[in-house]
Coordinates of all heavy atoms in Angstrom, one line a residue:
L80 N -33.7 -24.4 -13.1 CA -32.4 -24.9 -13.3 C -31.7 -24.4 -14.5 O -30.6 -23.9 -14.6 CB -32.4 -26.5 -13.2 CG -31.1 -27.2 -13.4 CD1 -30.1 -26.9 -12.2 CD2 -31.3 -28.7 -13.5
M81 N -32.4 -24.5 -15.7 CA -31.9 -24.1 -16.9 C -31.7 -22.6 -17.0 O -30.7 -22.1 -17.6 CB -32.8 -24.6 -18.1 CG -32.9 -26.0 -18.2 SD -31.4 -26.9 -18.3 CE -30.7 -26.1 -19.8
R82 N -32.6 -21.8 -16.4 CA -32.3 -20.3 -16.4 C -31.1 -20.0 -15.6 O -30.3 -19.1 -16.0 CB -33.5 -19.6 -15.7 CG -33.5 -18.1 -15.8 CD -34.7 -17.5 -15.1 NE -35.9 -18.1 -15.5 CZ -36.7 -18.7 -14.7 NH1 -36.4 -18.9 -13.4 NH2 -37.9 -19.2 -15.1
W83 N -30.8 -20.7 -14.5 CA -29.6 -20.5 -13.7 C -28.4 -20.9 -14.5 O -27.4 -20.1 -14.5 CB -29.7 -21.4 -12.5 CG -28.5 -21.6 -11.7 CD1 -27.9 -20.7 -10.9 CD2 -27.7 -22.8 -11.6 NE1 -26.7 -21.3 -10.3 CE2 -26.6 -22.6 -10.8 CE3 -27.9 -24.1 -12.2 CZ2 -25.7 -23.6 -10.5 CZ3 -26.9 -25.1 -11.9 CH2 -25.8 -24.8 -11.1
L84 N -28.4 -22.0 -15.2 CA -27.3 -22.3 -16.1 C -27.0 -21.3 -17.1 O -25.8 -21.0 -17.4 CB -27.6 -23.7 -16.7 CG -27.0 -25.0 -16.0 CD1 -27.4 -26.2 -16.9 CD2 -25.5 -24.9 -15.7
L85 N -28.0 -20.8 -17.8 CA -27.8 -19.8 -18.8 C -27.2 -18.5 -18.2 O -26.3 -17.9 -18.8 CB -29.2 -19.4 -19.4 CG -29.8 -20.4 -20.4 CD1 -31.2 -20.1 -20.6 CD2 -29.0 -20.4 -21.7
E86 N -27.6 -18.2 -17.0 CA -27.0 -17.0 -16.4 C -25.6 -17.2 -15.9 O -24.7 -16.3 -16.1 CB -27.8 -16.6 -15.2 CG -29.3 -16.1 -15.6 CD -30.1 -15.8 -14.4 OE1 -29.6 -16.0 -13.2 OE2 -31.3 -15.5 -14.5
Q87 N -25.3 -18.4 -15.4 CA -23.9 -18.6 -14.9 C -22.9 -19.0 -16.0 O -21.8 -18.6 -15.8 CB -24.0 -19.8 -13.9 CG -24.8 -19.5 -12.6 CD -24.3 -18.4 -11.8 OE1 -23.1 -18.2 -11.7 NE2 -25.2 -17.6 -11.3
S88 N -23.3 -19.6 -17.0 CA -22.5 -20.1 -18.1 C -21.2 -20.6 -17.5 O -20.1 -20.2 -17.8 CB -22.2 -18.9 -19.0 OG -21.4 -19.4 -20.2
P89 N -21.2 -21.8 -16.8 CA -20.1 -22.3 -16.1 C -19.1 -23.1 -17.0 O -19.5 -23.4 -18.1 CB -20.7 -23.2 -15.0 CG -21.9 -23.7 -15.7 CD -22.5 -22.6 -16.5
D90 N -17.9 -23.3 -16.6 CA -16.9 -24.0 -17.2 C -17.1 -25.6 -17.0 O -16.6 -26.4 -17.7 CB -15.5 -23.6 -16.9 CG -15.3 -22.2 -17.2 OD1 -15.3 -21.9 -18.4 OD2 -15.0 -21.4 -16.3
A91 N -17.7 -25.9 -15.9 CA -18.0 -27.3 -15.5 C -19.2 -27.3 -14.6 O -19.6 -26.4 -13.9 CB -16.8 -27.9 -14.8
L92 N -19.9 -28.5 -14.6 CA -21.1 -28.7 -13.9 C -21.0 -30.0 -13.1 O -20.6 -31.0 -13.6 CB -22.3 -28.7 -14.8 CG -23.7 -29.1 -14.2 CD1 -24.1 -28.0 -13.1 CD2 -24.8 -29.3 -15.2
I93 N -21.4 -30.0 -11.8 CA -21.5 -31.2 -11.0 C -22.9 -31.3 -10.6 O -23.5 -30.4 -10.1 CB -20.6 -31.1 -9.8 CG1 -19.1 -31.1 -10.2 CG2 -20.8 -32.3 -8.9 CD1 -18.1 -30.9 -9.0
V94 N -23.5 -32.5 -10.8 CA -24.9 -32.8 -10.4 C -25.0 -34.0 -9.6 O -24.1 -34.9 -9.6 CB -25.8 -32.9 -11.7 CG1 -25.7 -31.6 -12.6 CG2 -25.4 -34.1 -12.5
E95 N -26.1 -34.2 -8.9 CA -26.4 -35.4 -8.2 C -26.7 -36.5 -9.3 O -27.5 -36.3 -10.1 CB -27.6 -35.3 -7.3 CG -27.3 -34.5 -6.0 CD -28.4 -34.6 -5.0 OE1 -28.5 -35.6 -4.4 OE2 -29.1 -33.5 -4.8
A96 N -26.0 -37.6 -9.1 CA -26.2 -38.7 -10.1 C -27.4 -39.5 -9.7 O -27.3 -40.7 -9.3 CB -24.9 -39.6 -10.2
N97 N -28.6 -38.9 -9.8 CA -29.8 -39.5 -9.4 C -30.9 -39.4 -10.5 O -31.3 -38.3 -10.8 CB -30.3 -38.9 -8.1 CG -31.4 -39.6 -7.4 OD1 -32.2 -40.3 -8.1 ND2 -31.5 -39.6 -6.1
P98 N -31.3 -40.6 -11.0 CA -32.2 -40.5 -12.2 C -33.6 -40.0 -11.8 O -34.4 -39.8 -12.6 CB -32.3 -42.0 -12.7 CG -31.8 -42.8 -11.5 CD -30.8 -41.9 -10.7
R99 N -33.9 -39.8 -10.5 CA -35.1 -39.4 -10.1 C -35.3 -37.9 -10.2 O -36.5 -37.4 -10.1 CB -35.4 -39.7 -8.6 CG -35.4 -41.2 -8.3 CD -35.7 -41.5 -6.8 NE -35.6 -42.9 -6.5 CZ -36.6 -43.7 -6.7 NH1 -37.8 -43.3 -7.2 NH2 -36.5 -45.0 -6.4
Y100 N -34.3 -37.2 -10.6 CA -34.3 -35.7 -10.8 C -34.5 -35.4 -12.3 O -33.6 -35.5 -13.1 CB -33.1 -35.1 -10.2 CG -32.8 -35.4 -8.7 CD1 -31.6 -35.2 -8.2 CD2 -33.8 -35.9 -7.9 CE1 -31.4 -35.5 -6.8 CE2 -33.6 -36.2 -6.6 CZ -32.4 -36.0 -6.1 OH -32.2 -36.3 -4.7
L101 N -35.7 -35.1 -12.6 CA -36.2 -35.1 -14.0 C -35.5 -34.0 -14.9 O -35.4 -34.1 -16.1 CB -37.7 -34.9 -14.1 CG -38.5 -36.0 -13.4 CD1 -40.0 -35.7 -13.4 CD2 -38.2 -37.4 -13.9
S102 N -35.1 -32.9 -14.2 CA -34.5 -31.7 -15.0 C -33.0 -31.9 -15.2 O -32.5 -31.2 -16.0 CB -34.7 -30.5 -14.2 OG -34.5 -30.7 -12.8
T103 N -32.3 -32.9 -14.6 CA -30.9 -33.1 -14.8 C -30.5 -33.4 -16.2 O -29.5 -32.7 -16.7 CB -30.4 -34.1 -13.8 OG1 -30.7 -33.8 -12.5 CG2 -28.9 -34.4 -14.0
P104 N -31.1 -34.3 -17.0 CA -30.7 -34.6 -18.3 C -30.6 -33.3 -19.2 O -29.7 -33.2 -20.0 CB -31.6 -35.6 -18.8 CG -32.1 -36.3 -17.6 CD -32.2 -35.2 -16.6
S105 N -31.5 -32.4 -19.0 CA -31.5 -31.2 -19.9 C -30.3 -30.3 -19.6 O -29.7 -29.8 -20.5 CB -32.8 -30.4 -19.6 OG -33.9 -31.1 -20.1
A106 N -29.9 -30.3 -18.3 CA -28.8 -29.5 -17.9 C -27.5 -30.2 -18.4 O -26.6 -29.5 -18.9 CB -28.7 -29.4 -16.4
V107 N -27.4 -31.5 -18.4 CA -26.3 -32.2 -18.9 C -26.1 -31.9 -20.5 O -25.0 -31.7 -21.0 CB -26.3 -33.7 -18.6 CG1 -25.2 -34.5 -19.3 CG2 -26.3 -34.0 -17.1
S108 N -27.3 -32.0 -21.1 CA -27.3 -31.8 -22.6 C -26.8 -30.4 -22.9 O -26.1 -30.2 -23.9 CB -28.7 -32.1 -23.1 OG -28.7 -31.9 -24.5
W109 N -27.3 -29.5 -22.2 CA -27.0 -28.0 -22.4 C -25.4 -27.8 -22.3 O -24.8 -27.2 -23.1 CB -27.7 -27.2 -21.4 CG -27.6 -25.7 -21.6 CD1 -28.4 -24.9 -22.4 CD2 -26.5 -24.8 -21.1 NE1 -27.9 -23.6 -22.4 CE2 -26.8 -23.5 -21.6 CE3 -25.4 -25.0 -20.3 CZ2 -26.0 -22.4 -21.3 CZ3 -24.7 -23.9 -19.9 CH2 -24.9 -22.7 -20.5
M110 N -24.8 -28.5 -21.3 CA -23.4 -28.3 -21.1 C -22.6 -29.0 -22.2 O -21.7 -28.4 -22.8 CB -23.0 -28.9 -19.8 CG -23.5 -28.1 -18.5 SD -22.6 -26.6 -18.3 CE -20.9 -27.1 -17.8
H111 N -23.1 -30.1 -22.6 CA -22.4 -30.9 -23.6 C -22.4 -30.2 -25.0 O -21.5 -30.4 -25.8 CB -22.9 -32.3 -23.7 CG -22.3 -33.2 -22.6 ND1 -22.9 -34.4 -22.3 CD2 -21.4 -33.0 -21.7 CE1 -22.3 -35.0 -21.3 NE2 -21.3 -34.2 -20.9
T112 N -23.6 -29.6 -25.3 CA -23.6 -28.8 -26.6 C -22.6 -27.7 -26.6 O -22.2 -27.2 -27.7 CB -25.0 -28.3 -26.8 OG1 -25.4 -27.4 -25.8 CG2 -26.0 -29.4 -27.0
R113 N -22.1 -27.3 -25.5 CA -21.1 -26.2 -25.4 C -19.7 -26.8 -25.0 O -18.8 -26.1 -24.7 CB -21.5 -25.2 -24.4 CG -22.7 -24.4 -24.8 CD -23.5 -23.8 -23.6 NE -24.6 -23.0 -24.2 CZ -25.8 -23.5 -24.7 NH1 -25.9 -24.8 -24.7 NH2 -26.7 -22.7 -25.1
N114 N -19.6 -28.1 -25.2 CA -18.3 -28.9 -24.9 C -17.8 -28.6 -23.5 O -16.6 -28.4 -23.3 CB -17.3 -28.4 -26.0 CG -17.6 -29.0 -27.4 OD1 -18.1 -30.1 -27.5 ND2 -17.5 -28.1 -28.3
K115 N -18.7 -28.6 -22.6 CA -18.3 -28.4 -21.1 C -18.6 -29.7 -20.4 O -19.6 -30.4 -20.6 CB -19.1 -27.3 -20.5 CG -19.0 -25.9 -21.3 CD -17.6 -25.3 -21.1 CE -17.6 -23.9 -21.7 NZ -16.3 -23.3 -21.6
P116 N -17.7 -30.1 -19.5 CA -17.8 -31.4 -18.8 C -18.9 -31.3 -17.7 O -19.1 -30.3 -17.1 CB -16.5 -31.6 -18.2 CG -15.9 -30.2 -18.0 CD -16.4 -29.4 -19.1
V117 N -19.5 -32.5 -17.4 CA -20.4 -32.7 -16.4 C -20.0 -33.9 -15.5 O -19.7 -35.0 -16.1 CB -21.9 -32.9 -16.9 CG1 -22.8 -33.1 -15.7 CG2 -22.2 -31.8 -17.8
I118 N -20.0 -33.8 -14.2 CA -19.6 -34.8 -13.3 C -20.8 -35.2 -12.5 O -21.6 -34.3 -12.0 CB -18.4 -34.4 -12.3 CG1 -17.2 -34.1 -13.1 CG2 -18.2 -35.5 -11.3 CD1 -16.1 -33.5 -12.3
G119 N -21.1 -36.5 -12.3 CA -22.2 -36.9 -11.5 C -21.6 -37.3 -10.1 O -20.5 -37.9 -10.0
W120 N -22.3 -37.0 -9.1 CA -21.8 -37.2 -7.7 C -22.9 -38.0 -7.0 O -24.1 -37.7 -6.9 CB -21.7 -35.9 -7.0 CG -21.2 -35.9 -5.6 CD1 -20.6 -36.9 -4.9 CD2 -21.5 -34.9 -4.6 NE1 -20.4 -36.5 -3.6 CE2 -20.9 -35.3 -3.4 CE3 -22.1 -33.6 -4.6 CZ2 -21.0 -34.5 -2.2 CZ3 -22.1 -32.9 -3.5 CH2 -21.5 -33.3 -2.2
G121 N -22.5 -39.3 -6.5 CA -23.6 -40.1 -5.9 C -23.1 -41.2 -5.0 O -21.8 -41.4 -4.8
L122 N -24.0 -41.9 -4.4 CA -23.7 -42.9 -3.4 C -23.1 -44.2 -4.0 O -22.4 -44.9 -3.4 CB -24.9 -43.2 -2.6 CG -25.3 -42.3 -1.5 CD1 -26.7 -42.6 -1.0 CD2 -24.3 -42.3 -0.3
G123 N -23.5 -44.5 -5.2 CA -23.2 -45.7 -5.9 C -24.4 -46.3 -6.5 O -25.4 -45.7 -6.8
S124 N -24.3 -47.6 -7.0 CA -25.3 -48.2 -7.7 C -25.4 -49.7 -7.2 O -25.0 -50.6 -7.9 CB -25.1 -48.2 -9.2 OG -26.2 -48.8 -9.9
P125 N -26.1 -49.9 -6.0 CA -26.1 -51.2 -5.5 C -26.9 -52.2 -6.4 O -27.9 -51.7 -7.1 CB -26.9 -51.1 -4.1 CG -27.6 -49.8 -4.3 CD -26.7 -48.9 -5.2
P126 N -26.6 -53.5 -6.4 CA -27.4 -54.4 -7.3 C -28.8 -54.4 -7.0 O -29.3 -54.3 -5.8 CB -26.8 -55.8 -6.9 CG -25.4 -55.5 -6.3 CD -25.6 -54.1 -5.6
L127 N -29.6 -54.5 -8.0 CA -31.1 -54.5 -7.9 C -31.6 -55.9 -7.7 O -31.2 -56.9 -8.4 CB -31.8 -53.9 -9.1 CG -31.6 -52.4 -9.4 CD1 -32.0 -52.0 -10.8 CD2 -32.4 -51.6 -8.4
S128 N -32.4 -56.1 -6.8 CA -33.1 -57.4 -6.6 C -34.3 -57.5 -7.5 O -35.0 -56.5 -7.8 CB -33.6 -57.7 -5.2 OG -34.4 -56.6 -4.8
P129 N -34.5 -58.6 -8.2 CA -35.6 -58.8 -9.1 C -36.9 -58.4 -8.4 O -37.2 -58.9 -7.3 CB -35.6 -60.2 -9.5 CG -34.2 -60.7 -9.3 CD -33.8 -59.9 -8.1
P130 N -37.8 -57.6 -9.0 CA -39.1 -57.2 -8.4 C -40.1 -58.4 -8.6 O -40.0 -59.2 -9.5 CB -39.5 -56.0 -9.2 CG -38.9 -56.2 -10.6 CD -37.6 -56.9 -10.4
H131 N -41.1 -58.4 -7.7 CA -42.1 -59.4 -7.8 C -43.3 -58.7 -8.6 O -43.7 -57.6 -8.3 CB -42.6 -59.8 -6.4 CG -41.5 -60.5 -5.7 ND1 -41.1 -61.8 -6.0 CD2 -40.8 -60.1 -4.7 CE1 -40.1 -62.1 -5.1 NE2 -39.9 -61.1 -4.3
F132 N -43.8 -59.4 -9.6 CA -44.9 -58.9 -10.4 C -45.8 -60.0 -10.9 O -45.3 -61.2 -11.0 CB -44.4 -58.0 -11.5 CG -43.4 -58.7 -12.5 CD1 -43.9 -59.4 -13.5 CD2 -42.1 -58.7 -12.2 CE1 -43.0 -60.1 -14.4 CE2 -41.2 -59.3 -13.1 CZ -41.7 -60.0 -14.1
P133 N -47.0 -59.8 -11.3 CA -47.9 -60.9 -11.7 C -47.3 -61.6 -13.0 O -46.8 -60.9 -13.8 CB -49.2 -60.2 -12.1 CG -49.1 -58.9 -11.2 CD -47.7 -58.5 -11.2
R134 N -47.5 -62.9 -13.1 CA -47.0 -63.6 -14.2 C -47.7 -63.2 -15.5 O -47.1 -63.2 -16.6 CB -47.3 -65.1 -14.1 CG -46.5 -65.8 -12.9 CD -46.7 -67.3 -12.9 NE -45.9 -67.9 -11.8 CZ -44.7 -68.3 -12.1 NH1 -44.1 -68.2 -13.2 NH2 -44.0 -68.9 -11.0
K135 N -48.9 -62.6 -15.5 CA -49.6 -62.2 -16.7 C -48.9 -61.1 -17.4 O -49.1 -60.8 -18.5 CB -51.0 -61.8 -16.3 CG -51.1 -60.6 -15.5 CD -52.6 -60.2 -15.2 CE -52.7 -59.0 -14.3 NZ -54.1 -58.7 -14.0

Side-chain angles (χ1 to χ4, degrees):
L80 180 66
M81 295 308 301
R82 188 183 310 116
W83 165 74
L84 267 183
L85 284 165
E86 293 174 4
Q87 296 297 322
S88 188
D90 298 298
L92 173 65
I93 297 176
V94 301
E95 288 191 70
N97 192 326
R99 296 181 184 278
Y100 304 161
L101 304 176
S102 44
T103 300
S105 297
V107 175
S108 177
W109 187 91
M110 291 290 290
H111 282 166
T112 59
R113 290 155 179 79
N114 294 315
K115 304 291 186 180
V117 183
I118 297 175
W120 178 26
L122 283 167
S124 184
L127 289 166
S128 57
H131 297 287
F132 56 90
R134 291 185 179 274
K135 65 181 180 181

